[in-house]
Amino acid sequence: MRRENTKMAPISIKRILISESVDPCCKNILQENGIQVTEKQNMSKDDLIAEIKDYDGLVVRSATKVTADVIKAAGNLKIIGRAGTGVDNVDVDAATIKGIIVMNTPSGNTISAAELTCTLLMSLSRNVPQAAMSMKAGNWDRKKFMGTELYGKILGIVGLGRIGKEVATRMQSFGMKTIGYDPITPPEVTATWGVEQMSLEQLWPQCDYITVHTPLMPSTAGLLNDTSFAKCKKGVKVVNCARGGIIDEDALLRALESRQCGGAGLDVFVEEPPKNRALVNHPNVISCPHLGASTKEAQARCGQDIALQIVDMVMGKSLVGAVNAQVLASTFTPESHQWIKLGESIGAALKSCTTSKQPFSQVQIITQGDCLKDSSAYMTSAVMVGLLRDGSQSCPNLVNSLTLAKESGVTVTRNHSEGLTQGACEVEISVNGSSYRATGSVQGGVPVLLELNSSVFRQPVSLTGNLLFFKAVASPPLLPSVTGLLATAGVEMESFSAPAARSGDQWYCVGLSSLLGDLGALKPLVKAAAQVSV
C-alpha cells in the first residue's frame, strides 16, 4: 500500500524498530513507502536501551515499556507508534519534553473491545464459563447456574467514546436500557444513540450492570471503590475491558465477598499478569488475559492503521492519532511551512538582539489576518523554537517548545487579531525589564521581517541566510563605514535594509556571506549589534 508523496515532509523517518508482534501488514506498508524496518521481539529494558539509539521510530503494542530511560537513550527518535488505543506503557511526558511524537490507533480495536465487553456481560448474566467448566468436570448442574435475562435491565456505561458507543448499540439490541456518564461527550450527542447521560451519583444506584471505558488517569483511578459500590444496587455486576485500576481491585473483592457485587468480568488488571489471584479465583469472577484487542481483525487493523498514520505524517499528508502533538495537525500544507519558518526566524532574530544575558521571562505572540485564524497554536510553538534554540542538548521543536518554555519559567501568551487581509505575526519578549518586538509576514512564499523594535524597514528583510542587525543613528558615513569594516573582515555584503525613519536610533539589517567572527569591531560605529543565521 504505497502512498504518493505530494507535499513537503515535515518529519523525516528512515528507520523504524518494531519491538513486538505486530501484524505483518505494518512492516510491509512501511517498507513499501521507503522506510527501513527491523523487528526485534522480547527485548529486555537494557536491550531496548542499547538498540533504540539507531532508530527514528518505534512501534509497540502494550508489552514494551517505553520509559523515561528508554526515551533518554533514543538520540534520534522522532515518533513512538502504539498499535492500539491506550498509551499507558509510554512515558508521554518524557517523550514530549524530548520532542517525540506519541501516536496511537484510536479506532483500531474498537469493535473487538466492544464485542468482548458484550461477551462478558452476557457471560455474567448466564454463568457461561462456570457452566462450561462444570461440564468439563463431568457434572450436570442445571440448578446451580441459574441466570438472569439482560432484557429490561439497566446498563451503566462510564466513558462514552468509541467503545462505549459500540457497547451501547449492541446491548440495546438485547433490550437493555443504557445510561451513562462522560465528562467530554455532550449529552445531546449520546442521546442520538440511545444513552441518557447523568452524573455518577445518579448513575450508581440505577444500574444492574456497569461497564467502564475510560483511560486510566488520576481522575479515573479507583472510580469504582468502596464508596461507589455502597451506592450501587445490591448484586450489581461490573465489567472492565479498559484499563486495570479503574475499578479498585481490593474494593471489588470486598464487594464480591459481601455480595454487594454479584459478579465481575475482568479483562485487565493493575498488575499483568496478576500475582494476587484472589480476584481471578473468585467463583463470581470471569477473567481473561487482556484479550480486548486480541482478534485477527483488530491486530490487522491496528498494524495497518499505525503504519499508514506514520507514512501519511512522513509524506506530509495528515497527522492522525497523535496524543501529544495536536499542534502539528494543521501544519500539513505548503503555506504552513513558510509561516513556521517565519515564526522560528523571528524568534531567533529577537533572541540575538537581546543585549541582556538574562533569560527572557515573558513572550507575547499576536497573529494577524484571516489566513492565520487557525494557525496561532503552531505559530506560537514555532516562535518558541527560535527563542529557545541555543545549541545545547535541549532540542526544541513544535512538539516540546511550549513544555520547555514552561519548565524554564517563561510565560507565553498568544492572541489573534482578525479583519486584516494580509497575515502577519508580531512577537514581543521581556528580558530583565526591557522589551523587544518584531513583526514579520510571508510575501511571495518567503518569510520576511517588517519591523524590529519600532524600526519599520523600507523593504522587507528576507529572513534567510546570515543576517547582521545593528542599531545606529542615521548618517551619511554609516553605510560606507560598515561596508569597509565588513570588507576588512573578509565578509561580503549581500543585501542592505534601511529603516523608513531617518532620525533617532534605528535598526538596520545587512545580509552577509558569512557571520562575523567578532561583533566588537562594530562598537565604534553602532549602539547595538547582533547576528543570526536562519
Side-chain angles (χ1 to χ4, degrees):
M1 193 176 297
R2 183 171 177 80
R3 304 290 235 207
E4 285 193 29
N5 187 355
T6 57
K7 298 176 182 177
M8 186 185 305
I11 298 170
S12 175
I13 304 291
K14 296 179 180 178
R15 299 190 67 200
I16 283 181
L17 172 66
I18 299 177
S19 65
E20 295 182 57
S21 177
V22 179
D23 192 90
C25 70
C26 178
K27 179 179 179 180
N28 294 337
I29 292 170
L30 293 171
Q31 289 179 330
E32 287 170 5
N33 288 277
I35 298 174
Q36 297 178 37
V37 179
T38 300
E39 291 182 294
K40 288 192 176 184
Q41 298 178 26
N42 303 317
M43 283 187 289
S44 67
K45 178 181 176 180
D46 290 340
D47 291 338
L48 182 57
I49 286 174
E51 184 75 22
I52 196 62
K53 64 181 185 299
D54 298 324
Y55 297 91
D56 306 306
L58 173 65
V59 172
V60 303
R61 285 181 62 192
S62 59
T64 301
K65 305 304 179 187
V66 190
T67 63
D69 290 337
V70 173
I71 290 167
K72 183 179 179 181
N76 298 317
L77 202 63
K78 301 179 181 71
I79 185 165
I80 299 167
R82 161 75 163 97
T85 303
V87 289
D88 311 65
N89 55 316
V90 179
D91 191 327
V92 177
D93 291 338
T96 302
I97 289 171
K98 203 164 180 184
I100 299 168
I101 298 170
V102 179
M103 177 185 288
N104 67 353
T105 53
S107 59
N109 62 0
T110 298
I111 300 300
S112 293
E115 288 183 353
L116 181 61
T117 301
C118 297
T119 300
L120 291 178
L121 287 168
M122 289 183 279
S123 296
L124 283 172
S125 73
R126 299 303 295 270
N127 303 303
V128 175
Q130 295 92 328
M133 292 302 294
S134 177
M135 286 285 289
K136 289 181 184 296
N139 301 318
W140 184 265
D141 295 322
R142 295 182 67 190
K143 294 182 179 180
K144 182 177 180 180
F145 301 112
M146 180 67 66
T148 58
E149 291 184 350
L150 293 172
Y151 182 83
K153 302 301 189 297
I154 298 176
L155 172 63
I157 305 172
V158 181
L160 296 166
R162 295 178 180 86
I163 297 172
K165 175 184 178 182
E166 296 298 334
V167 170
T169 56
R170 282 158 178 73
M171 299 317 294
Q172 286 162 11
S173 68
F174 284 84
M176 296 192 85
K177 178 184 177 182
T178 51
I179 61 177
Y181 167 78
D182 192 292
I184 298 173
T185 309
E188 57 269 22
V189 172
T190 62
T192 63
W193 21 281
V195 179
E196 178 189 355
Q197 276 207 55
M198 59 189 65
S199 70
L200 290 174
E201 294 299 308
Q202 294 172 305
L203 181 141
W204 300 135
Q206 297 188 46
C207 300
D208 299 296
Y209 295 81
I210 296 171
T211 178
V212 294
H213 300 284
T214 71
L216 179 63
M217 56 182 68
S219 61
T220 62
L223 197 62
L224 264 168
N225 51 39
D226 288 315
T227 303
S228 45
F229 271 121
K231 296 175 182 177
C232 293
K233 283 182 180 180
K234 189 171 183 63
V236 65
K237 295 179 173 68
V238 298
V239 170
N240 185 3
C241 288
R243 284 291 177 267
I246 297 172
I247 298 177
D248 183 320
E249 292 180 355
D250 292 333
L252 174 58
L253 186 58
R254 287 189 288 270
L256 286 163
E257 294 292 346
S258 68
R259 298 190 179 182
Q260 177 65 17
C261 177
L266 304 175
D267 185 46
V268 290
F269 299 86
V270 172
E271 183 181 33
E272 295 184 354
K275 291 180 181 177
N276 185 346
R277 307 290 294 181
L279 268 179
V280 175
N281 294 335
H282 195 282
N284 291 337
V285 171
I286 302 168
S287 58
C288 301
H290 204 150
L291 299 179
S294 295
T295 64
K296 293 178 181 179
E297 294 84 357
Q299 290 311 301
R301 200 178 295 121
C302 288
Q304 175 177 286
D305 285 356
I306 197 65
L308 291 177
Q309 287 170 205
I310 291 172
V311 169
D312 284 348
M313 180 195 70
V314 172
M315 297 298 183
K317 293 182 65 177
S318 63
L319 182 70
V320 175
V323 300
N324 68 334
Q326 292 86 350
V327 67
L328 296 179
S330 55
T331 64
F332 288 82
T333 65
E335 296 80 12
S336 68
H337 297 167
Q338 300 302 330
W339 287 104
I340 291 169
K341 175 69 174 175
L342 172 69
E344 293 179 355
S345 299
I346 288 180
L350 270 180
K351 182 177 180 179
S352 72
C353 291
T354 58
T355 55
S356 171
K357 298 300 181 183
Q358 297 293 321
F360 51 90
S361 57
Q362 292 184 319
V363 181
Q364 182 177 31
I365 296 150
I366 302 174
T367 51
Q368 303 170 357
D370 295 339
C371 66
L372 292 180
K373 182 179 180 181
D374 300 319
S375 307
S376 62
Y378 73 70
M379 285 299 296
T380 300
S381 295
V383 169
M384 295 312 302
V385 169
L387 283 168
L388 294 170
R389 192 173 282 155
D390 57 7
S392 67
Q393 289 186 342
S394 172
C395 299
N397 61 21
L398 296 181
V399 176
N400 67 359
S401 62
L402 292 181
T403 301
L404 293 175
K406 185 177 181 179
E407 286 193 341
S408 301
V410 180
T411 301
V412 182
T413 58
R414 75 181 194 212
N415 294 287
H416 180 74
S417 177
E418 298 184 22
L420 301 176
T421 54
Q422 181 182 2
C425 179
E426 178 183 319
V427 181
E428 182 173 356
I429 66 174
S430 298
V431 181
N432 202 25
S434 301
S435 63
Y436 300 81
R437 189 175 73 251
T439 303
S441 185
V442 173
Q443 296 182 357
V446 178
V448 295
L449 185 65
L450 305 175
E451 179 183 350
L452 178 63
N453 295 326
S454 300
S455 294
V456 179
F457 294 102
R458 292 182 201 170
Q459 295 293 328
V461 176
S462 178
L463 288 170
T464 55
N466 303 306
L467 301 175
L468 169 66
F469 298 98
F470 61 85
K471 183 170 72 171
V473 177
S475 66
L478 179 62
L479 182 56
S481 298
V482 171
T483 304
L485 187 148
L486 294 175
T488 302
V491 177
E492 296 180 11
M493 179 185 291
E494 296 182 344
S495 63
F496 178 74
S497 299
R502 301 190 180 186
S503 61
D505 293 339
Q506 299 292 330
W507 282 88
Y508 297 76
C509 182
V510 177
L512 306 177
S513 59
S514 61
L515 295 178
L516 279 169
D518 180 19
L519 290 176
L522 284 167
K523 282 187 176 180
L525 304 176
V526 304
K527 295 188 175 183
Q531 58 182 351
V532 66
S533 182
V534 293

